Amino acid sequence: MAAQEAARLVEQLAADVVVEVRDPGPKGSDVGDEQQRRAASLARLQAALATEELVAEAAAQQTESASAESVWLGASLADLSAVTGRTRQAARKRWPELGSIHRRRKWLGNHVEDIAHMAGLLATHAEDLAPDWGRGEFMNHARLLREGLDRCAEDFAEDAPVGGDPARRWRDLDALVDTTMRRIIETAGEPATPEAGFALHGATGVVGYYDHATTADRG
């Protein structure tokens, strides 16, 4: 986008901003309707300042979103530094959540098949893990697990379509481990079969490994 076009868009935004500016009154050097012209100009200045703040906030949000998406898609802080022209330390300071995203994405990228396997075992043996008390809540988590597995199978297939949110599959996989599998483990009852016990034990190991690898002090 050319600077001239950007300026035109900002001008249009400013025209829609409603502001109230106190008329400072007449000046001794006023000629004709200069007081009214001055008051209108001051109002435009106030609208421009308000628009500047809104545009800066929107641009910052867009930049933050794009940086997070890039890291979810495997970009390193060094990659961001090359694009922004700033140091990796500056990126960490400006977007502190990127460190957590980087650790999670790195771990998830190396364990997609392991996650799918253990989550699949949990889903298969959910009936044999359901507790007597709180069974409805547990089975709801199991349903969410199966739905998450179906989405992941589609999203990570070789012929998966490219949607409007290219990083969604990684966030969904992260939620599958950190939220859905974790809740099933926390609410499961005593395993009714050895196979169910193996599934629960394996899933507990996956979540524990996830926690170990993604905590901040592990970098």
Side-chain angles (χ1 to χ4, degrees):
M1 178 185 296
Q4 185 176 3
E5 183 180 357
R8 180 179 58 80
L9 292 174
V10 171
E11 184 178 358
Q12 291 176 350
L13 288 173
D16 293 333
V17 175
V18 178
V19 296
E20 293 184 5
V21 176
R22 184 181 64 85
D23 185 349
K27 306 292 183 181
S29 60
D30 285 347
V31 176
D33 63 349
E34 200 157 37
Q35 178 182 350
Q36 290 76 20
R37 296 187 184 191
R38 180 171 55 251
S41 180
L42 289 171
R44 287 194 297 273
L45 172 60
Q46 183 65 47
L49 290 171
T51 303
E52 179 182 32
E53 184 176 346
L54 291 173
V55 170
E57 181 180 352
Q61 291 175 352
Q62 178 65 21
T63 303
E64 181 178 2
S65 175
S67 66
E69 179 183 273
S70 297
V71 176
W72 273 119
L73 292 171
S76 66
L77 291 179
D79 296 328
L80 296 185
S81 178
V83 172
T84 63
R86 300 176 181 177
T87 65
R88 285 175 287 182
Q89 290 75 15
R92 288 193 185 96
K93 184 176 181 180
R94 182 174 182 181
W95 304 300
E97 74 283 356
L98 295 186
S100 173
I101 294 174
H102 174 69
R103 290 188 294 273
R104 286 180 282 159
R105 170 60 176 84
K106 182 178 180 180
W107 186 85
L108 292 168
N110 291 324
H111 297 90
V112 174
E113 293 183 359
D114 297 333
I115 294 167
H117 176 66
M118 293 313 306
L121 288 181
L122 267 187
T124 299
H125 298 286
E127 287 285 349
D128 293 327
L129 290 169
D132 294 331
W133 185 85
R135 178 183 178 85
E137 178 187 4
F138 177 86
M139 294 309 295
N140 183 57
H141 294 326
R143 176 183 60 80
L144 294 175
L145 179 66
R146 286 189 290 270
E147 292 175 355
L149 278 169
D150 289 342
R151 283 196 304 272
C152 286
E154 295 176 0
D155 291 343
F156 285 94
E158 292 185 2
D159 58 348
V162 179
D165 185 350
R168 179 183 61 82
R169 64 179 182 176
W170 292 108
R171 292 195 300 271
D172 285 351
L173 185 62
D174 184 66
L176 187 72
V177 176
D178 193 29
T179 301
T180 310
M181 289 180 67
R182 190 185 301 277
R183 287 176 178 170
I184 286 182
I185 292 167
E186 292 172 349
T187 57
E190 188 68 24
T193 65
E195 292 79 9
F198 176 80
L200 182 61
H201 177 76
T204 301
V206 168
V207 173
Y209 189 12
Y210 169 92
D211 290 340
H212 177 79
T214 60
T215 49
D217 59 352
R218 295 286 169 182

